[in-house]
Amino acid sequence: MAVELRGLTDNARKTSISELNGRLADSIALALAVKQAHWNVKGRNFIAIHELFDSLHNNLREHVDTMAERVQQLDGVAVGTVQKVSASSGLQEYPTDLTGAEDHVRALCNRYRDHGEKLRAAIDATDEAGDADTADIFTAASRSLDKDLWFLESHLE
């Protein structure tokens, strides 16, 4: 049974589903990178960084769920298996040989910046297609990501 949302064109729906699945893959990949860092970080301020990484992961998970649920609302299929995420995420692969806190923070900052850029492009694409609600989801994710990037970058000062 197809979902019919009032005032939303088929093009808007298809654009939004595509953008949502793309950013979903990136968000899942980033969440896994944060967990990789969380599990392997060592060094000064360990507990603060370790707990920060947990907080970052939780923030990403919240947006992952919102994006996946929006895909369903638009009568799409949310794609989030490890294999599909690995194949479709545009984020750079996270190194598995890092242990130093500063190395992890730098690696995550790079990926947060990249993801933020992609989220902002998705805001524009979905807004231009006529789906302000999906653009709003991306705006909330972008705002949260920017705040978390600020927290990360503060550890490099």
Side-chain angles (χ1 to χ4, degrees):
M1 173 170 85
V3 174
E4 198 170 314
L5 298 174
R6 296 184 202 278
L8 201 60
T9 67
D10 194 47
N11 178 60
R13 190 181 63 76
K14 288 177 181 176
T15 298
S16 291
I17 290 168
S18 176
E19 289 293 335
L20 284 160
N21 271 319
R23 301 305 59 83
L24 180 62
D26 289 343
S27 296
I28 292 169
L30 185 55
L32 290 171
V34 170
K35 268 304 183 188
Q36 177 70 25
H38 170 81
W39 294 323
N40 292 288
V41 69
K42 295 179 181 173
R44 294 177 37 165
N45 300 320
F46 164 78
I47 196 64
I49 299 287
H50 186 74
E51 289 176 355
L52 172 63
F53 291 166
D54 248 352
S55 173
L56 299 177
H57 183 263
N58 289 337
N59 292 344
L60 287 164
R61 277 189 21 219
E62 181 179 319
H63 294 291
V64 161
D65 238 23
T66 301
M67 288 179 213
E69 289 169 356
R70 181 64 178 165
V71 170
Q72 291 299 302
Q73 293 163 16
L74 297 172
D75 199 32
V77 175
V79 180
T81 66
V82 171
Q83 295 82 359
K84 295 291 187 182
V85 167
S86 177
S88 62
S89 173
L91 298 184
Q92 184 180 12
E93 184 176 348
Y94 196 81
T96 56
D97 61 344
L98 300 180
T99 57
E102 191 169 308
D103 293 333
H104 278 296
V105 169
R106 284 186 198 290
L108 289 173
C109 282
N110 290 336
R111 283 151 187 85
Y112 267 71
R113 283 186 210 98
D114 186 26
H115 188 40
E117 185 177 318
K118 288 174 171 54
L119 282 170
R120 282 183 277 285
I123 293 166
D124 293 341
T126 53
D127 192 44
E128 288 171 14
D131 186 356
D133 292 335
T134 299
D136 187 55
I137 288 169
F138 288 135
T139 300
S142 175
R143 189 172 28 253
S144 176
L145 197 82
D146 286 349
K147 183 177 180 182
D148 288 344
L149 176 59
W150 171 52
F151 286 166
L152 281 167
E153 287 177 332
S154 293
H155 286 277
L156 299 175
E157 292 291 316

